[in-house]
Structures are given as structure tokens and as C-alpha cells.
Amino acid sequence: NTAIRGGVTYNNGNMSLNNSNFTNNTAKANGGVNFNDRTKRMNIYNSIFINNTAVNFGGVNYNNPNGTLYIDTSNLNYNVAKYGGANANFGLMQIKNSYADYNNATDGAANYNGKTLYLTNSKFSSNKATNNGGVNYNDKNSALIIQQSTFRYNRATNNGGVTYNNGSLQIYGASSTGNYANRGGVTFNQATAQMYNLASEQNIAGYGAVNYNNKSAVMIFMNSYSKANHAEYGGDTLNNYGTLYINSTSFIDNSADN
């Protein structure tokens, strides 16, 4: 199926998708499978999305400003877009109990967020961004809230092997293993990041194997665990003229070349 917006569905009401499979669908603009319009609601349950494409935003889902999109117990794999290989959100989106693997984008290999995005009890593996955000790209004036989720072997060529943050990032329980970026193997922070109960192991970067906190940015991380991460500079965190607070955190066998 092919359309300009929403390769399969364009929602202008209230819509639910259940127990369905979507493969090889395309949008010439946004939403390779689903386009959820302003002020509308879409619920997705127990569905599979494979090899879908959007030229611009959201290889699977595009959520318009003031729209609400809820994804539960679904798989989003091998999808592609310029921004948000799986999802592009400009309203309210929650992804829960789901998997997103092998998605690709320029920015935000799995998710591009322009408003409010919750990731809850979900797993993201082997996603790749050719620029920033190996899983998530969180834009200005946006909020990304991560709860009890897992990130493994994701990659960004430039910044943020898992998350590129230019808004508000809040993490309450996450595990990050084997992720890579040039700056910030897990997180590149350009704005405000509050992170609690993190486990970070074997992440790699040129600068800041786990975290890169950029100029004027504020980063807080507490009650966390960092082991066997490696960078050229900053075996765990590189603070580049930002503000950094660390409390009740263990660092074991991290290393840097310089």
C-alpha cells in the first residue's frame, strides 16, 4: 500500500488496531502505515510492523499535534524514515510492552519526539541513526519519559547512541548495553536530563562512553551502575561546560584512552 500520508490508515476519529500485521507499506510524506490526525486517538495492540517506509517522518506511525497514540504489546522492526524510523510524535504517544529492532533513520532511528513520549517496559535493539539518536531523538520543548526499558546495540554515527536530547529527558529505570556514538554512547544531552536507576555496560564512544553533557546543559544521574564502558575521552561521562550532578552511583572497570 502507498499513500502520501498513512500508507494504510489515515485516522480522523477514534481508531483501534488489534492483532494485525503490516509489511512493506509506504508513505510519500509521513506515516508509512498510520497517520493520526490532530486531536484524534489511535490505539494499537498486539500488532507487527515490518519493513515499512516513510520519506519524511514516521516509518510506521505519525502522530499529529494534539493527537494521542498508544502502542501496547507490538513489534516494530526494519522500518525506515528520515526522522523516526518507526515513530514520529508531535502529540502524546506511549509505547508499552513492545519491541523495536533494526529500524533506521537519519535522526531518531526508532522514535522522533516533538512533544510528549513515554517508553514503558519496552526493548530497543540494533537500531541505527546516520546522524543523531540511535533510538530516540527528543527535540526542543519536548518531553521524553523512559520507564523500565532496555537498549542494546543501538548506534548513532554522531551523537547519542540511544538518545539525543534537546528537550526534557526523564529516565526511571533503564538498562543500556553495547550502544555506540561518536559523542555519548548512550545519551547526548543538549538541555535537561534527569536519570535514575540506570545500568550501563560495555557502551562505546569517542567522547563520553555513556553520557555526553554539552554546553549549558544540566544532567543529573542517581542510584545507577556503570561498568566496562570505554571511550577515547570520558570512560563514563564527558561534561563539556555543562552542569553535572552524580549521586549514589557505582563505577566499575570503565576506561578511556586519554
Side-chain angles (χ1 to χ4, degrees), residues 53-138:
T53 303
V55 172
N56 293 327
F57 288 90
V60 174
N61 298 305
Y62 179 93
N63 190 35
N64 228 347
N66 300 316
T68 300
L69 203 158
Y70 179 80
I71 302 168
D72 196 350
T73 321
S74 295
N75 291 354
L76 304 93
N77 303 328
Y78 297 99
N79 303 289
V80 179
K82 186 174 183 180
Y83 305 107
N87 303 298
N89 173 54
F90 295 91
L92 173 61
M93 179 181 288
Q94 182 174 15
I95 301 169
K96 185 176 181 181
N97 304 320
S98 295
Y99 292 83
D101 303 332
Y102 298 100
N103 299 289
N104 288 270
T106 301
D107 291 312
N111 304 306
Y112 185 99
N113 182 43
K115 190 62 174 180
T116 304
L117 172 62
Y118 289 85
L119 307 179
T120 304
N121 194 34
S122 294
K123 296 183 179 181
F124 302 83
S125 299
S126 301
N127 301 286
K128 183 178 179 180
T130 56
N131 190 27
N132 299 321
V135 176
N136 305 305
Y137 186 103
N138 192 42

Coordinates of all heavy atoms in Angstrom, one line a residue, residues 53-138:
T53 N 8.0 2.1 5.3 CA 8.8 3.3 5.0 C 8.0 4.6 4.9 O 6.9 4.6 4.3 CB 9.5 3.0 3.6 OG1 10.3 1.8 3.7 CG2 10.4 4.2 3.3
A54 N 8.6 5.7 5.4 CA 8.1 7.0 5.1 C 9.2 7.9 4.6 O 10.3 7.8 5.1 CB 7.4 7.6 6.3
V55 N 9.0 8.7 3.6 CA 10.0 9.6 3.1 C 10.5 10.6 4.1 O 11.7 10.8 4.3 CB 9.6 10.2 1.8 CG1 10.6 11.3 1.3 CG2 9.3 9.2 0.7
N56 N 9.5 11.1 4.9 CA 9.9 12.1 5.9 C 9.8 11.6 7.3 O 10.8 11.2 7.9 CB 9.0 13.4 5.7 CG 9.2 14.1 4.4 OD1 10.4 14.1 3.9 ND2 8.2 14.7 3.8
F57 N 8.7 11.6 8.0 CA 8.5 11.3 9.4 C 7.7 10.0 9.6 O 6.6 9.9 9.1 CB 7.8 12.5 10.1 CG 8.6 13.7 10.3 CD1 8.6 14.7 9.3 CD2 9.4 13.9 11.4 CE1 9.3 15.9 9.5 CE2 10.1 15.1 11.6 CZ 10.0 16.1 10.7
G58 N 8.3 9.2 10.5 CA 7.5 8.0 11.0 C 7.4 6.9 10.0 O 6.4 6.8 9.3
G59 N 8.3 6.0 10.0 CA 8.2 4.8 9.1 C 7.0 3.9 9.3 O 6.5 3.3 8.4
V60 N 6.5 3.9 10.6 CA 5.3 3.2 10.9 C 4.2 4.2 11.2 O 3.1 4.3 10.6 CB 5.5 2.2 12.0 CG1 4.2 1.6 12.4 CG2 6.5 1.1 11.6
N61 N 4.4 5.0 12.3 CA 3.3 5.9 12.8 C 3.7 7.3 12.8 O 4.9 7.7 13.2 CB 3.0 5.5 14.3 CG 2.5 4.0 14.4 OD1 1.5 3.7 13.7 ND2 3.2 3.2 15.2
Y62 N 2.8 8.2 12.4 CA 2.9 9.6 12.6 C 1.8 10.1 13.4 O 0.6 9.9 13.1 CB 2.9 10.3 11.2 CG 3.1 11.8 11.3 CD1 4.3 12.4 11.2 CD2 2.0 12.6 11.4 CE1 4.5 13.8 11.2 CE2 2.1 14.0 11.5 CZ 3.3 14.6 11.4 OH 3.5 15.9 11.5
N63 N 2.1 10.8 14.5 CA 1.0 11.3 15.4 C 1.1 12.9 15.4 O 2.1 13.5 15.8 CB 1.3 10.9 16.8 CG 0.2 11.2 17.8 OD1 -1.0 11.2 17.4 ND2 0.5 11.5 19.0
N64 N 0.0 13.5 14.8 CA 0.0 14.9 14.6 C -0.2 15.7 15.9 O -0.6 15.1 16.9 CB -1.2 15.2 13.7 CG -0.9 16.1 12.5 OD1 0.2 16.7 12.5 ND2 -1.8 16.2 11.6
P65 N 0.1 17.0 15.9 CA -0.1 17.7 17.2 C -1.4 17.6 17.8 O -2.5 17.6 17.1 CB 0.2 19.2 16.7 CG 1.1 19.0 15.6 CD 0.7 17.8 14.9
N66 N -1.5 17.4 19.1 CA -2.7 17.2 19.9 C -3.4 15.8 19.6 O -4.4 15.6 20.2 CB -3.7 18.3 19.7 CG -3.1 19.7 20.1 OD1 -2.5 19.8 21.1 ND2 -3.3 20.7 19.2
G67 N -2.7 15.0 18.8 CA -3.2 13.6 18.7 C -2.7 12.7 19.9 O -1.8 13.1 20.5
T68 N -3.4 11.6 20.1 CA -3.0 10.6 21.1 C -2.8 9.3 20.4 O -3.7 8.8 19.8 CB -4.0 10.5 22.2 OG1 -4.2 11.8 22.8 CG2 -3.6 9.5 23.3
L69 N -1.6 8.7 20.6 CA -1.4 7.4 20.0 C -0.7 6.4 21.1 O 0.3 6.8 21.7 CB -0.4 7.5 18.8 CG -0.4 6.4 17.8 CD1 0.1 6.9 16.4 CD2 0.3 5.2 18.2
Y70 N -1.4 5.3 21.3 CA -1.0 4.3 22.3 C -0.7 3.0 21.6 O -1.4 2.5 20.9 CB -2.1 4.1 23.3 CG -1.9 3.2 24.4 CD1 -1.1 3.5 25.5 CD2 -2.4 1.9 24.3 CE1 -0.9 2.6 26.5 CE2 -2.2 1.0 25.3 CZ -1.4 1.3 26.4 OH -1.2 0.4 27.4
I71 N 0.6 2.5 21.9 CA 1.0 1.2 21.4 C 1.4 0.3 22.5 O 2.1 0.6 23.4 CB 2.3 1.5 20.5 CG1 2.0 2.5 19.4 CG2 2.8 0.2 19.9 CD1 3.3 3.0 18.7
D72 N 0.8 -0.9 22.4 CA 1.0 -1.9 23.5 C 1.2 -3.3 22.9 O 0.5 -3.7 22.0 CB -0.2 -1.9 24.4 CG 0.0 -2.6 25.8 OD1 1.1 -3.3 25.9 OD2 -0.8 -2.6 26.6
T73 N 2.2 -4.0 23.4 CA 2.5 -5.4 23.1 C 2.6 -5.5 21.5 O 1.9 -6.4 20.9 CB 1.4 -6.3 23.6 OG1 1.0 -5.9 24.9 CG2 1.9 -7.7 23.7
S74 N 3.5 -4.7 20.9 CA 3.6 -4.8 19.5 C 5.1 -4.8 19.1 O 6.0 -4.5 19.9 CB 2.9 -3.6 18.8 OG 1.5 -3.6 19.0
N75 N 5.4 -5.3 17.9 CA 6.8 -5.3 17.4 C 6.9 -4.4 16.2 O 6.1 -4.4 15.2 CB 7.1 -6.7 16.9 CG 7.3 -7.7 18.1 OD1 7.2 -7.3 19.2 ND2 7.5 -9.0 17.8
L76 N 7.9 -3.5 16.2 CA 8.2 -2.6 15.1 C 9.6 -2.8 14.6 O 10.6 -2.3 15.3 CB 7.9 -1.2 15.5 CG 6.6 -0.8 16.1 CD1 6.5 -1.0 17.6 CD2 6.1 0.6 15.7
N77 N 9.8 -3.5 13.5 CA 11.1 -3.9 13.1 C 11.4 -3.6 11.6 O 10.5 -3.7 10.8 CB 11.3 -5.4 13.3 CG 11.0 -5.9 14.7 OD1 11.3 -5.1 15.7 ND2 10.5 -7.1 14.9
Y78 N 12.7 -3.2 11.4 CA 13.2 -3.0 10.0 C 12.4 -1.9 9.3 O 12.2 -1.9 8.0 CB 13.1 -4.3 9.2 CG 14.0 -5.4 9.7 CD1 13.5 -6.4 10.5 CD2 15.4 -5.4 9.4 CE1 14.3 -7.4 11.0 CE2 16.2 -6.4 9.9 CZ 15.6 -7.4 10.7 OH 16.4 -8.4 11.2
N79 N 11.9 -0.9 10.0 CA 11.2 0.2 9.4 C 12.2 1.4 9.1 O 13.2 1.5 9.8 CB 10.1 0.6 10.3 CG 9.1 -0.5 10.5 OD1 8.4 -1.0 9.6 ND2 9.2 -1.1 11.7
V80 N 11.8 2.3 8.2 CA 12.8 3.3 7.8 C 12.0 4.7 7.5 O 10.9 4.7 6.9 CB 13.5 2.9 6.4 CG1 14.4 4.1 6.0 CG2 14.3 1.6 6.6
A81 N 12.6 5.8 8.0 CA 12.2 7.1 7.6 C 13.4 8.0 7.8 O 14.4 7.7 8.3 CB 11.0 7.5 8.5
K82 N 13.2 9.3 7.3 CA 14.3 10.2 7.5 C 14.3 10.6 9.0 O 15.4 10.7 9.6 CB 14.0 11.5 6.7 CG 15.2 12.5 6.7 CD 15.0 13.6 5.8 CE 16.2 14.6 5.8 NZ 16.0 15.7 4.9
Y83 N 13.1 10.8 9.6 CA 13.0 11.2 11.0 C 12.1 10.2 11.7 O 10.9 10.2 11.4 CB 12.5 12.6 11.2 CG 13.4 13.6 10.5 CD1 12.9 14.3 9.3 CD2 14.6 14.0 10.9 CE1 13.6 15.2 8.7 CE2 15.4 14.9 10.2 CZ 14.9 15.5 9.1 OH 15.6 16.5 8.4
G84 N 12.6 9.4 12.6 CA 11.8 8.5 13.3 C 11.5 7.2 12.5 O 10.5 7.1 11.8
G85 N 12.5 6.3 12.5 CA 12.4 5.1 11.6 C 11.1 4.3 11.9 O 10.5 3.7 11.0
A86 N 10.6 4.3 13.1 CA 9.4 3.6 13.5 C 8.3 4.7 13.8 O 7.2 4.6 13.2 CB 9.5 2.7 14.7
N87 N 8.6 5.6 14.7 CA 7.5 6.5 15.1 C 8.0 8.0 15.1 O 9.1 8.3 15.5 CB 7.1 6.2 16.6 CG 6.7 4.8 16.7 OD1 5.7 4.4 16.1 ND2 7.4 4.0 17.5
A88 N 7.1 8.9 14.7 CA 7.3 10.3 14.8 C 6.1 10.9 15.5 O 4.9 10.7 15.1 CB 7.4 11.0 13.4
N89 N 6.3 11.5 16.7 CA 5.3 12.0 17.6 C 5.3 13.5 17.7 O 6.4 14.1 18.1 CB 5.4 11.3 18.9 CG 4.4 11.9 19.9 OD1 3.2 12.0 19.7 ND2 5.0 12.4 21.1
F90 N 4.2 14.2 17.5 CA 4.1 15.6 17.8 C 2.9 15.9 18.7 O 2.4 17.0 18.8 CB 3.9 16.4 16.5 CG 5.2 16.3 15.6 CD1 5.3 15.3 14.7 CD2 6.2 17.2 15.8 CE1 6.5 15.1 13.9 CE2 7.4 17.0 15.1 CZ 7.5 16.0 14.1
G91 N 2.3 14.8 19.3 CA 1.3 15.0 20.3 C 1.6 14.2 21.6 O 2.6 14.5 22.2
L92 N 0.8 13.3 22.0 CA 1.0 12.4 23.1 C 1.1 11.0 22.6 O 0.2 10.5 22.0 CB -0.1 12.5 24.1 CG -0.1 11.6 25.3 CD1 1.2 11.8 26.1 CD2 -1.3 11.7 26.2
M93 N 2.2 10.3 22.9 CA 2.4 8.9 22.5 C 3.0 8.1 23.6 O 3.8 8.6 24.4 CB 3.4 8.8 21.3 CG 3.6 7.4 20.8 SD 4.8 7.3 19.4 CE 3.8 7.9 18.1
Q94 N 2.4 6.9 23.8 CA 3.0 6.0 24.8 C 3.3 4.6 24.1 O 2.4 4.1 23.4 CB 2.1 5.7 26.0 CG 2.7 4.8 27.0 CD 1.9 4.7 28.3 OE1 0.8 5.0 28.3 NE2 2.5 4.1 29.3
I95 N 4.5 4.1 24.3 CA 4.9 2.8 23.8 C 5.1 1.9 25.0 O 6.0 2.2 25.8 CB 6.1 2.9 22.9 CG1 5.9 3.8 21.7 CG2 6.5 1.5 22.4 CD1 7.1 4.2 20.9
K96 N 4.4 0.8 25.1 CA 4.4 0.0 26.3 C 4.5 -1.5 25.9 O 3.9 -2.0 25.0 CB 3.1 0.2 27.1 CG 3.1 -0.5 28.5 CD 1.8 -0.1 29.2 CE 1.7 -0.7 30.6 NZ 0.5 -0.3 31.3
N97 N 5.4 -2.2 26.6 CA 5.5 -3.7 26.5 C 5.8 -4.1 25.0 O 5.2 -5.1 24.5 CB 4.2 -4.4 26.9 CG 3.9 -4.1 28.4 OD1 4.7 -4.0 29.2 ND2 2.6 -3.9 28.6
S98 N 6.6 -3.3 24.3 CA 6.8 -3.5 22.9 C 8.3 -3.6 22.6 O 9.2 -3.4 23.4 CB 6.2 -2.4 22.1 OG 4.8 -2.4 22.3
Y99 N 8.6 -4.1 21.3 CA 9.9 -4.2 20.8 C 10.1 -3.4 19.5 O 9.2 -3.3 18.7 CB 10.2 -5.7 20.4 CG 10.3 -6.6 21.6 CD1 9.1 -7.2 22.1 CD2 11.5 -7.0 22.1 CE1 9.1 -8.1 23.2 CE2 11.5 -7.9 23.2 CZ 10.4 -8.4 23.7 OH 10.4 -9.3 24.8
A100 N 11.2 -2.7 19.4 CA 11.6 -2.0 18.2 C 13.0 -2.3 17.9 O 14.0 -1.9 18.6 CB 11.4 -0.5 18.4
D101 N 13.3 -3.1 16.8 CA 14.6 -3.6 16.4 C 14.9 -3.3 15.0 O 14.0 -3.3 14.1 CB 14.7 -5.1 16.7 CG 14.4 -5.5 18.1 OD1 14.6 -4.7 19.0 OD2 13.9 -6.6 18.3
Y102 N 16.2 -3.0 14.7 CA 16.7 -2.8 13.3 C 15.9 -1.8 12.5 O 15.8 -1.9 11.3 CB 16.6 -4.2 12.6 CG 17.4 -5.3 13.2 CD1 16.9 -6.2 14.0 CD2 18.8 -5.3 13.0 CE1 17.6 -7.2 14.6 CE2 19.6 -6.3 13.6 CZ 19.0 -7.3 14.4 OH 19.8 -8.2 14.9
N103 N 15.5 -0.7 13.2 CA 14.9 0.4 12.5 C 16.0 1.4 12.1 O 17.1 1.5 12.8 CB 13.9 1.1 13.3 CG 12.7 0.1 13.6 OD1 11.9 -0.2 12.8 ND2 12.7 -0.3 14.9
N104 N 15.8 2.2 11.1 CA 16.8 3.1 10.6 C 16.2 4.5 10.2 O 15.1 4.6 9.7 CB 17.5 2.6 9.3 CG 18.4 1.4 9.6 OD1 19.5 1.6 9.8 ND2 17.8 0.2 9.5
A105 N 17.0 5.6 10.6 CA 16.6 6.9 10.2 C 17.9 7.8 10.2 O 18.9 7.4 10.7 CB 15.6 7.5 11.2
T106 N 17.7 9.0 9.7 CA 18.8 10.0 9.8 C 18.9 10.4 11.3 O 19.9 10.4 11.9 CB 18.5 11.2 8.9 OG1 18.5 10.7 7.6 CG2 19.6 12.2 9.0
D107 N 17.7 10.8 11.9 CA 17.6 11.2 13.3 C 16.5 10.4 13.9 O 15.4 10.4 13.4 CB 17.4 12.7 13.4 CG 18.5 13.6 13.0 OD1 19.7 13.3 13.4 OD2 18.3 14.5 12.2
G108 N 16.8 9.8 15.1 CA 15.8 9.0 15.8 C 15.5 7.7 15.1 O 14.5 7.6 14.5
A109 N 16.4 6.8 15.2 CA 16.3 5.5 14.4 C 15.0 4.8 14.7 O 14.4 4.2 13.8 CB 17.4 4.6 14.6
A110 N 14.5 4.9 16.0 CA 13.2 4.3 16.3 C 12.2 5.4 16.5 O 11.1 5.3 16.0 CB 13.3 3.4 17.6
N111 N 12.5 6.4 17.3 CA 11.5 7.4 17.7 C 12.0 8.8 17.5 O 13.1 9.2 18.0 CB 11.1 7.2 19.2 CG 10.6 5.8 19.5 OD1 9.7 5.3 18.8 ND2 11.3 5.2 20.4
Y112 N 11.2 9.7 16.9 CA 11.4 11.1 16.8 C 10.3 11.8 17.6 O 9.1 11.6 17.3 CB 11.4 11.6 15.4 CG 11.8 13.0 15.2 CD1 13.1 13.4 14.8 CD2 10.8 14.0 15.4 CE1 13.4 14.7 14.7 CE2 11.2 15.4 15.3 CZ 12.5 15.7 14.9 OH 12.8 17.1 14.8
N113 N 10.7 12.5 18.6 CA 9.7 13.1 19.5 C 9.7 14.6 19.5 O 10.7 15.3 19.7 CB 9.9 12.7 21.0 CG 8.8 13.2 21.9 OD1 7.6 13.2 21.6 ND2 9.2 13.7 23.1
G114 N 8.5 15.2 19.1 CA 8.4 16.6 19.1 C 7.4 17.2 20.1 O 7.0 18.3 20.1
K115 N 6.9 16.3 21.1 CA 6.0 16.8 22.1 C 6.2 16.0 23.4 O 7.0 16.2 24.2 CB 4.6 16.7 21.6 CG 3.6 17.4 22.5 CD 3.9 18.9 22.7 CE 2.8 19.6 23.5 NZ 3.1 21.1 23.6
T116 N 5.4 14.9 23.6 CA 5.5 14.1 24.8 C 5.4 12.6 24.5 O 4.4 12.1 23.9 CB 4.3 14.4 25.8 OG1 4.3 15.8 26.1 CG2 4.5 13.6 27.1
L117 N 6.5 11.9 24.9 CA 6.6 10.5 24.5 C 7.0 9.7 25.8 O 8.0 10.0 26.5 CB 7.7 10.3 23.4 CG 8.1 8.8 23.1 CD1 6.9 8.1 22.6 CD2 9.2 8.8 22.1
Y118 N 6.2 8.6 26.1 CA 6.5 7.7 27.1 C 7.0 6.4 26.6 O 6.3 5.8 25.7 CB 5.3 7.4 28.0 CG 4.8 8.6 28.9 CD1 4.0 9.6 28.4 CD2 5.2 8.7 30.2 CE1 3.6 10.7 29.2 CE2 4.8 9.7 31.0 CZ 4.0 10.7 30.5 OH 3.6 11.8 31.3
L119 N 8.1 5.8 27.1 CA 8.5 4.5 26.7 C 8.5 3.7 28.0 O 9.3 4.0 29.0 CB 10.0 4.5 26.1 CG 10.2 5.4 25.0 CD1 11.7 5.4 24.5 CD2 9.3 5.1 23.8
T120 N 7.7 2.6 28.1 CA 7.5 1.9 29.3 C 7.6 0.4 29.0 O 7.0 -0.2 28.2 CB 6.1 2.2 29.8 OG1 5.9 3.6 30.0 CG2 5.8 1.5 31.2
N121 N 8.6 -0.2 29.8 CA 8.8 -1.7 29.8 C 8.9 -2.2 28.4 O 8.3 -3.2 28.0 CB 7.6 -2.4 30.5 CG 7.9 -3.8 30.8 OD1 9.1 -4.2 31.1 ND2 6.9 -4.7 30.7
S122 N 9.7 -1.5 27.6 CA 9.9 -1.9 26.2 C 11.4 -2.1 25.9 O 12.3 -1.7 26.7 CB 9.4 -0.8 25.3 OG 8.0 -0.7 25.4
K123 N 11.7 -2.7 24.7 CA 13.1 -3.1 24.4 C 13.4 -2.6 23.0 O 12.6 -2.8 22.0 CB 13.2 -4.6 24.5 CG 13.1 -5.2 25.9 CD 13.3 -6.7 26.0 CE 13.2 -7.1 27.4 NZ 13.4 -8.6 27.5
F124 N 14.6 -2.0 22.9 CA 15.1 -1.4 21.6 C 16.5 -1.9 21.3 O 17.4 -1.7 22.1 CB 15.1 0.1 21.7 CG 13.7 0.7 22.1 CD1 13.3 0.8 23.4 CD2 12.9 1.2 21.1 CE1 12.1 1.3 23.7 CE2 11.7 1.7 21.4 CZ 11.2 1.8 22.7
S125 N 16.6 -2.6 20.2 CA 17.9 -3.3 19.9 C 18.3 -3.0 18.4 O 17.4 -3.1 17.5 CB 17.8 -4.8 20.1 OG 17.6 -5.0 21.5
S126 N 19.6 -2.8 18.2 CA 20.2 -2.8 16.8 C 19.5 -1.8 15.9 O 19.4 -2.0 14.7 CB 20.1 -4.2 16.2 OG 20.8 -5.1 17.0
N127 N 19.1 -0.7 16.4 CA 18.6 0.4 15.6 C 19.8 1.3 15.3 O 20.7 1.4 16.0 CB 17.5 1.2 16.4 CG 16.3 0.3 16.8 OD1 15.5 0.0 15.9 ND2 16.3 0.0 18.1
K128 N 19.7 2.0 14.1 CA 20.8 2.8 13.6 C 20.3 4.2 13.1 O 19.5 4.2 12.2 CB 21.6 2.0 12.6 CG 22.8 2.8 12.1 CD 23.6 2.0 11.1 CE 24.8 2.7 10.6 NZ 25.6 1.9 9.6
A129 N 21.0 5.2 13.6 CA 20.8 6.6 13.0 C 22.1 7.0 12.3 O 23.1 6.9 12.9 CB 20.4 7.6 14.1
T130 N 21.9 7.6 11.1 CA 23.1 8.0 10.4 C 23.6 9.4 10.9 O 24.7 9.8 10.6 CB 22.8 8.1 8.9 OG1 21.7 8.9 8.7 CG2 22.6 6.7 8.3
N131 N 22.8 10.1 11.7 CA 23.2 11.3 12.4 C 23.0 11.2 13.9 O 24.0 10.8 14.5 CB 22.3 12.5 11.8 CG 22.9 13.8 12.2 OD1 24.1 14.0 12.4 ND2 22.0 14.8 12.3
N132 N 21.9 11.6 14.5 CA 21.7 11.6 15.9 C 20.6 10.8 16.4 O 19.5 10.7 15.8 CB 21.5 13.1 16.3 CG 22.6 14.0 16.0 OD1 23.8 13.7 16.1 ND2 22.3 15.2 15.6
G133 N 20.8 10.1 17.6 CA 19.7 9.4 18.2 C 19.6 8.0 17.7 O 18.7 7.7 16.9
G134 N 20.4 7.0 18.2 CA 20.3 5.7 17.7 C 19.0 5.0 18.0 O 18.6 4.0 17.4
V135 N 18.3 5.5 19.0 CA 16.9 5.1 19.3 C 16.0 6.3 19.3 O 15.0 6.3 18.5 CB 16.7 4.3 20.6 CG1 15.3 4.0 20.9 CG2 17.6 3.1 20.6
N136 N 16.3 7.3 20.1 CA 15.4 8.4 20.3 C 16.0 9.8 19.9 O 17.2 10.0 20.3 CB 15.0 8.5 21.8 CG 14.4 7.2 22.3 OD1 13.4 6.7 21.8 ND2 15.0 6.7 23.4
Y137 N 15.3 10.6 19.3 CA 15.6 12.0 19.1 C 14.5 12.8 19.7 O 13.4 12.8 19.3 CB 15.7 12.3 17.6 CG 16.2 13.7 17.3 CD1 17.5 13.9 16.9 CD2 15.4 14.9 17.5 CE1 18.0 15.2 16.6 CE2 15.9 16.1 17.2 CZ 17.2 16.3 16.8 OH 17.7 17.6 16.5
N138 N 14.9 13.5 20.8 CA 14.0 14.3 21.6 C 14.2 15.8 21.3 O 15.3 16.3 21.7 CB 14.1 14.0 23.1 CG 13.0 14.6 23.9 OD1 11.8 14.5 23.5 ND2 13.3 15.2 25.0

